[in-house]
Amino acid sequence: MSPRNLRAMSPAETEILRLVWQLEEATVQGICDALPAKRKIAYKTVQTLLRRLEEKGYLKHRTDGKAHVFFPAIKREQVIKRTVLDFLDRLFGGDPRPLMQFLAEDGHVDAKDLEELRKLIDNA
């Protein structure tokens, strides 16, 4: 499935997908163990979220004994690119300047970030 055809994810699905990317492959129990201690999500809920992500095309699985081992079906960068471009399109009509201005004015971008951005611009 191409990144363009992927269905949107809920915040909980996004959290689980990030963990699978981080771990590279994981069982339901592996995801449960990797969740922050303060994050109380039931085993069955994690199982449901993994299955939804697979149905949406973000994950695949293989069977190892009785366990399903989930792994990414699509690269992290592809999902980020599609999500950010979709966000820019919906909220800012595709123009990145208002987003960058918001991030700079709201304190989400510091001097180090600006220096890295300058280097990227110079190399572009």
Side-chain angles (χ1 to χ4, degrees):
M1 182 175 286
S2 80
R4 196 166 276 258
N5 298 330
L6 293 171
R7 293 184 353 224
M9 290 181 285
S10 70
E13 290 169 340
T14 304
E15 179 182 19
I16 298 300
L17 182 59
R18 284 182 34 216
L19 285 172
V20 175
W21 279 329
Q22 196 174 2
L23 298 168
E24 296 180 7
E25 63 177 34
T27 61
V28 176
Q29 188 61 55
I31 294 295
C32 288
D33 294 344
L35 286 165
K38 65 179 182 187
R39 189 78 164 98
K40 303 288 186 207
I41 301 179
Y43 181 95
K44 285 280 196 188
T45 302
V46 172
Q47 188 175 44
T48 298
L49 291 168
L50 287 164
R51 287 198 176 129
R52 280 189 199 155
L53 287 165
E54 186 172 25
E55 288 169 8
K56 290 181 176 184
Y58 293 96
L59 297 177
K60 293 182 181 181
H61 82 272
R62 63 178 166 75
T63 305
D64 187 3
K66 292 183 178 184
H68 284 72
V69 179
F70 292 88
F71 55 93
I74 190 159
K75 292 181 181 176
R76 181 178 185 266
E77 295 76 20
Q78 292 175 296
V79 175
I80 291 170
K81 181 178 181 178
R82 194 217 72 184
T83 304
V84 170
L85 292 177
D86 180 57
F87 175 77
L88 272 177
D89 209 35
R90 285 184 295 116
L91 261 58
F92 302 104
D95 183 2
R97 287 175 292 178
L99 175 60
M100 292 185 299
Q101 182 178 351
F102 167 79
L103 293 172
E105 290 174 354
D106 200 48
H108 285 87
V109 178
D110 61 21
K112 183 180 176 190
D113 295 328
L114 290 173
E115 184 58 36
E116 288 181 35
L117 284 171
R118 280 188 196 98
K119 288 178 186 174
L120 288 171
I121 291 167
D122 290 343
N123 291 332

